[in-house]
Amino acid sequence: MVIVFVVLVLAVMVTANWYVWRRLFRDTTSGPGPVRRAGAALIAGGWLLAFGALVAERTGAPFWLQQVLAWPGFLWLALSMYLLLGLLAGEAVRPLLRRWLERRRPAEAPVRQAEPVPVGAPASPEPEGSLPVAAPSRRLFVSRVIGGAAAAAAVGTVGIGTYGVLNGPSVKRVTVPLAKLPRAAHGYRIAVVSDIHLGPVLGRGFAQRVVDTINSTQPDLVAVVGDLVDGSVEDLAPAAAPLRGLNAPAYFVTGNHEYFSGAEQWVEEVRRLGLLPLENARTELPWFDLAGVNDIAGEEEGEGPDFAKALGDRDPARACVLLAHQPVQIHDAVAHGVDLQLSGHTHGGQLWPGNLVAAGANPTLAGLERYGDTQLYVSRGAGAWGPPTRVGAESDITVIQLASRQA
């Protein structure tokens, strides 16, 4: 079954890339030549770099090699997707553009035949206003217009989306009322940051921008809800070092990517940086309980989420805020009487139309929703995985302001 799936995926990828090459390079040229060969090399080379970047990250290749491959390889993933979407959209425009040209020029102008010139005789100059001997056909013209527009749209989309990520996350502010929250805690601010994804692309400078943004909101507490890194402590400890500069008490739970990167080592590293890991644990703050559970990916290592350990013996009269990386953990949170779960993981889809897939795989894609007596807030995340690009899902750090119904 797995082999059949792999074959189907490869068939779809080969067909899609052949289509991109055909529309972008074959149909826009009048015959075989260097442009078509360069197009084939560009597409094949882009996918080799993308595959190499993914393999290098997962296998723990030397960090310098990961950095060399990551930028061009991951950006090609995003660019190729939007090239394909742009060309597919162009199929609807293609017949309309050809029809418009036909109406504009209802009859083809005659092509003047070149008269033979005797050997040794000087070529006579073309009279002013004469018709060219040859000109691109309407089909070629339409293909060039649509191919050029698709390429420009793809490059512009990826460029703007990449600038948005590298420029740092924006700040969202959301008020969440909790029935059990005492009046004294009204207005308590929790800065929620998820999916920073420090790695071969997003490094120390990006981490510093995230820390500066969090500090500028002056929160009472910082919740780092998973997927902090994509790589080992050995490679990324310098990139994560700015987290030491957080001005408020900070708590951390693992995400699925920590378990690709050495979760145990990262738990110790964030503790060294001054964050408190909540590994299926709870701390009793003055006005509410703050709990955290490990990510589902930890189950393969015997370190999965344990809601009973984190929440089983708590006082149900106190409000409870739970940090859990994946929104799908909301059902266990409801069963254990959690008042508010803070999650990430979805990236809000990151690259449109990826939001359609992410929405189908998660109970909440982004924002605040209620499940029975439990509320779930899902952050779109501060960084990006794979392409350092976001389209239709702006990165954010959310300041959750708790509100007491007694106030």
Side-chain angles (χ1 to χ4, degrees):
M1 188 65 180
V2 174
I3 296 176
V4 172
F5 176 75
V6 171
V7 170
L8 286 175
V9 170
L10 288 175
V12 170
M13 288 185 63
V14 169
T15 302
N17 282 282
W18 173 83
Y19 168 78
V20 170
W21 173 82
R22 175 188 170 185
R23 284 306 195 198
L24 207 55
F25 297 100
R26 195 196 75 172
D27 292 355
T28 58
T29 53
S30 54
V35 174
R36 292 187 182 183
R37 291 192 294 271
L42 174 66
I43 293 174
W47 280 104
L48 285 175
L49 287 170
F51 181 75
L54 290 168
V55 171
E57 182 182 295
R58 282 291 178 265
T59 58
F63 194 60
W64 65 266
L65 179 60
Q66 294 184 45
Q67 291 177 304
V68 167
L69 294 173
W71 273 102
F74 287 142
L75 283 176
W76 174 254
L77 288 176
L79 185 63
S80 62
M81 183 178 76
Y82 287 109
L83 279 172
L84 177 61
L85 291 175
L87 291 169
L88 288 173
E91 298 298 340
V93 179
R94 189 179 301 273
L96 299 177
L97 184 55
R98 291 178 62 183
R99 192 174 305 162
W100 178 78
L101 288 174
E102 289 170 1
R103 289 178 179 176
R104 185 178 176 86
R105 297 179 61 184
E108 287 289 348
V111 176
R112 184 179 62 82
Q113 298 296 323
E115 297 180 0
V117 179
V119 177
S124 58
E126 291 287 340
E128 186 176 351
S130 64
L131 294 171
V133 174
S137 68
R138 291 176 186 169
R139 186 184 299 273
L140 190 62
F141 173 77
V142 168
S143 294
R144 288 175 177 176
V145 169
I146 293 176
V155 171
T157 299
V158 173
I160 294 171
T162 302
Y163 173 79
V165 170
L166 299 182
N167 196 44
S170 61
V171 175
K172 287 185 64 179
R173 298 181 185 273
V174 178
T175 298
V176 180
L178 298 182
K180 300 175 186 176
L181 192 72
R183 182 188 297 268
H186 183 73
Y188 192 94
R189 298 184 304 277
I190 302 175
V192 182
V193 58
S194 73
D195 303 282
I196 299 175
H197 286 288
L198 299 177
V201 174
L202 302 177
R204 185 186 181 103
F206 183 77
Q208 187 63 60
R209 280 191 288 278
V210 169
V211 169
D212 291 343
T213 302
I214 293 172
N215 288 341
S216 71
T217 67
Q218 298 181 321
D220 298 298
L221 181 150
V222 179
V224 183
V225 288
D227 280 7
L228 171 64
V229 291
D230 283 307
S232 67
V233 170
E234 179 183 1
D235 291 332
L236 294 176
L243 293 174
R244 188 186 297 276
L246 289 169
N247 291 338
Y251 296 84
F252 169 82
V253 292
T254 55
N256 54 310
H257 282 246
E258 269 73 56
Y259 291 97
F260 306 148
S261 308
E264 185 176 344
Q265 291 82 6
W266 274 111
V267 166
E268 292 306 313
E269 180 65 13
V270 297
R271 182 178 282 115
R272 190 182 69 83
L273 293 173
L275 285 73
L276 179 63
L278 292 173
E279 299 181 274
N280 297 323
R282 181 181 75 256
T283 182
E284 294 183 357
L285 301 179
W287 300 292
F288 61 91
D289 292 342
L290 181 70
V293 291
N294 296 346
D295 186 70
I296 299 169
E299 292 176 348
E300 296 183 4
E301 302 180 15
E303 300 175 1
D306 189 335
F307 284 83
K309 182 180 178 181
L311 301 166
D313 59 346
R314 75 177 195 87
D315 180 0
R318 286 170 56 87
C320 179
V321 177
L322 174 70
L323 311 184
H325 178 63
Q326 297 196 38
V328 294
Q329 295 172 283
I330 184 61
H331 305 296
D332 289 303
V334 172
H336 286 82
V338 169
D339 297 280
L340 172 64
Q341 176 178 315
L342 302 175
S343 298
H345 184 64
T346 70
H347 296 207
Q350 185 168 328
L351 295 171
W352 181 91
N355 59 306
L356 302 178
V357 178
N362 294 277
T364 297
L365 180 66
L368 183 67
E369 288 192 18
R370 178 176 288 276
Y371 293 82
D373 293 330
T374 302
Q375 296 180 83
L376 168 65
Y377 182 80
V378 180
S379 167
R380 290 187 300 241
W385 179 79
T389 310
R390 283 175 173 264
V391 177
E394 183 184 19
S395 59
D396 68 59
I397 291 167
T398 303
V399 177
I400 298 289
Q401 182 165 301
L402 302 181
S404 171
R405 296 191 185 277
Q406 304 171 27

